[in-house]
Amino acid sequence: MSAVVVVGAQWGDEGKGKVIDFLAQQADMVVRHQGGNNAGHTVVVGDEEYRLHLIPSGILYGDKLCVIASGVVIDPRVLFEEMDYLARRGIGTDRLRISSQAHLIMPYHARMDALSEDRLGVNKLGTTLRGIGPAYMDKAARVGLRVGDLLQPQAFAVRLKRVLDEKNRLFARAYDVEGFDYDELLQTYLSYGEQLRPYVANTSVIINDAIDAGSRVLFEGAQGTMLDIDHGTYPFVTSSHPVAGGACIGAGVGPTKISQVYGVVKAYTSRVGDGPFPSELLNALGSDIRDRGHEYGTTTGRPRRIGWLDSVVLRHAARVNGLTGIAVTRLDVLDGLPELKIAVAYRYHGELMQEFPDNAEMIDEVEPVYETLPGWSQSINQVRQFEDLPDQARAYLTRISELIQVPLVLVSVGRERTNTIPLTALF
Ligand code: GDP
Ligand code: IMO
Ligand code: MG
C-alpha cells in the first residue's frame, strides 16, 4: 500500500508543484483534494514552464491518472481554460477524473469575494479573489451546487433558481450592486455540465481501488499549513484544509491508508496576502531575496513577502500534519548570503515560547529568537548528491531537520525536474 501526501509546511508556494512533479515519476495516480484555482503550481521540464491551478501536476506525464477529488472547489471556466492551455502544449487531459461531489465556484462567489474584501478595507485578508471562500461558505451552509448537479439539468435548474434568488437579494440589499441573470447562468452552467460529463466519476472509489490494488497514489496538497482554516493564522487563512488530514476528507480515503506525509519547506519563508508573519524581513535583504528568487505569485502576480526560515512554524507543521519527511526547496536561492538565520523560538513579553501561539493577538506581538549559521559562496544548482553540497549547506539542512525532528528526504536546488537531490526511497 502506497499513498503519499505532500503538503506545504509554511504559507504556500513552497515548491509543491516541483516536488510533486519529481515524485510523480514513480506514481500511478495524482490527486488534488482541496482548494481550487487559488493554487498556482509551477513545474519546469527542460525549457518548458507549466503553471497549473486546478489540474494535478501529474498530468504532464502521459501515463498517470489525475483526479480532482470532492474536496476541491471547481470553477469550470478556469478548468476548461487550463485544459486548453495544456492541449495547446500537446498535453492531453483524457486521463483526468473529476468528482461528482466537488462543489462549483459560481460567478457570484468571485463577486462576493471582491465585495467582502472591499468592505473589509484595511482589514482585508488579501485573498486571490477567485471566489474560494464564498464557495466553501456555501458548501458549509448547504446551499452549494456540485459537479454532479450539472448532469441533472432539471434538478439543477430548480436548485440554481432558489440559490440565485437569495444571492441576488443579498447583492441588491446588502451591497447595492446588480445580481446575475438566471437564464444566462443556467445555460452557461448546463453547457459546462455537458463538457464535464465524460470526466465525472466517483473518485473516492477510484482512489481507494487504486490504493488497495497496490498502485502508488500521490496527494497534491495546495496552499500551506499556516493557511489551514483550523491550524493556520486565522482569519488570515484560506477556507479549506491544506493539512494532511485534508487529503483524507477531500479525497474520501481513510487515514489508515496513508503511508507517508511529506512537508515541502522553502529554505526561507514567503507569504502572499495579509496576516501575521513573525520572521518577515522588511528590509533590503528581504527585497534582495524576493528579486533573486523571483518571488511573485503564480496566480495573482503579487510580490511575495519574504522572511527567514522559521522552525517554530515548521514544528507546528510537523505536529499538525504528522510529517514523516521534509523536502527542502529553493536552497539555491540562498547561494552567496554570508549568513543565514533560523527562528528557533519566539519571545512574548519577555517569555520564551517554543510552540506557535494558538491566539491571534499573541502572534502579532511575538519576537523571533534567531540562531545564525554561516552561508556558502558557491552555486549549488548543479549539485546532485547530498555529499557534494557545501559543508555550510549540509549543516543548514541538518539543523532544520534536527530542530523539528523530522528526517530530510529531498533537497531541491533549482526549478527544473533535474535539479533535485533525493535522499531516500520516497514511496
Ligand atoms: P507551489 O505553489 O508550492 O507549487 O509553488 P509555486 O510554483 O507557486 O512557487 C514556487 C516557485 O519556485 C516556482 O516558480 C518554482 O519553479 C520555483 N522552484 C521550485 N523549487 C525550486 C528550487 O529548488 N530552486 C529554485 N530556484 N526555484 C524553485
Ligand atoms: P499554492 O497552492 C500562497 C492565500 C491568499 C490569501 C489567503 C486566502 O500555490 O501554494 P483565498 O483566495 O484562498 O481565499 O485567499 O490564502 N493563498 C495562497 N498563498 N499560495 C497559495 O496556493 C495560496 N492560495 C491562497 O494569498 O492570503
Ligand atoms: Mg503557488
Side-chain angles (χ1 to χ4, degrees), residues 5 75 180 186 266:
V5 177
D75 185 332
F180 290 84
L186 179 64
K266 190 178 281 201

PDB file of all heavy atoms in Angstrom, residues 5 75 180 186 266:
ATOM      1  N   VAL A   5       1.111  11.716   0.906  1.00  0.00           N
ATOM      2  CA  VAL A   5       0.508  13.056   0.921  1.00  0.00           C
ATOM      3  C   VAL A   5       1.637  14.086   0.950  1.00  0.00           C
ATOM      4  O   VAL A   5       2.556  13.986   1.770  1.00  0.00           O
ATOM      5  CB  VAL A   5      -0.404  13.232   2.158  1.00  0.00           C
ATOM      6  CG1 VAL A   5      -0.970  14.647   2.208  1.00  0.00           C
ATOM      7  CG2 VAL A   5      -1.529  12.213   2.153  1.00  0.00           C
ATOM      8  N   ASP A  75     -14.008  25.956 -10.559  1.00  0.00           N
ATOM      9  CA  ASP A  75     -14.575  26.961 -11.455  1.00  0.00           C
ATOM     10  C   ASP A  75     -14.457  26.370 -12.861  1.00  0.00           C
ATOM     11  O   ASP A  75     -13.356  26.297 -13.420  1.00  0.00           O
ATOM     12  CB  ASP A  75     -13.770  28.264 -11.328  1.00  0.00           C
ATOM     13  CG  ASP A  75     -14.387  29.391 -12.149  1.00  0.00           C
ATOM     14  OD1 ASP A  75     -15.043  29.080 -13.171  1.00  0.00           O
ATOM     15  OD2 ASP A  75     -14.210  30.561 -11.774  1.00  0.00           O
ATOM     16  N   PHE A 180     -27.105  38.520 -10.885  1.00  0.00           N
ATOM     17  CA  PHE A 180     -26.822  37.746 -12.103  1.00  0.00           C
ATOM     18  C   PHE A 180     -28.119  37.284 -12.746  1.00  0.00           C
ATOM     19  O   PHE A 180     -29.101  37.002 -12.057  1.00  0.00           O
ATOM     20  CB  PHE A 180     -25.950  36.546 -11.738  1.00  0.00           C
ATOM     21  CG  PHE A 180     -24.554  36.945 -11.352  1.00  0.00           C
ATOM     22  CD1 PHE A 180     -24.276  37.343 -10.052  1.00  0.00           C
ATOM     23  CD2 PHE A 180     -23.527  36.956 -12.288  1.00  0.00           C
ATOM     24  CE1 PHE A 180     -22.998  37.735  -9.688  1.00  0.00           C
ATOM     25  CE2 PHE A 180     -22.252  37.349 -11.937  1.00  0.00           C
ATOM     26  CZ  PHE A 180     -21.988  37.742 -10.630  1.00  0.00           C
ATOM     27  N   LEU A 186     -27.901  29.718 -16.070  1.00  0.00           N
ATOM     28  CA  LEU A 186     -28.365  28.342 -16.227  1.00  0.00           C
ATOM     29  C   LEU A 186     -27.808  27.740 -17.522  1.00  0.00           C
ATOM     30  O   LEU A 186     -27.231  26.643 -17.518  1.00  0.00           O
ATOM     31  CB  LEU A 186     -29.896  28.309 -16.242  1.00  0.00           C
ATOM     32  CG  LEU A 186     -30.520  26.916 -16.421  1.00  0.00           C
ATOM     33  CD1 LEU A 186     -30.174  26.007 -15.245  1.00  0.00           C
ATOM     34  CD2 LEU A 186     -32.049  27.018 -16.565  1.00  0.00           C
ATOM     35  N   LYS A 266      10.168  25.600   2.056  1.00  0.00           N
ATOM     36  CA  LYS A 266      11.040  26.533   1.331  1.00  0.00           C
ATOM     37  C   LYS A 266      12.218  26.845   2.253  1.00  0.00           C
ATOM     38  O   LYS A 266      12.015  26.980   3.473  1.00  0.00           O
ATOM     39  CB  LYS A 266      10.226  27.791   0.995  1.00  0.00           C
ATOM     40  CG  LYS A 266      10.891  28.736   0.056  1.00  0.00           C
ATOM     41  CD  LYS A 266       9.995  29.939  -0.275  1.00  0.00           C
ATOM     42  CE  LYS A 266       8.929  29.617  -1.296  1.00  0.00           C
ATOM     43  NZ  LYS A 266       8.400  30.823  -1.986  1.00  0.00           N
TER      44      LYS A 266
END
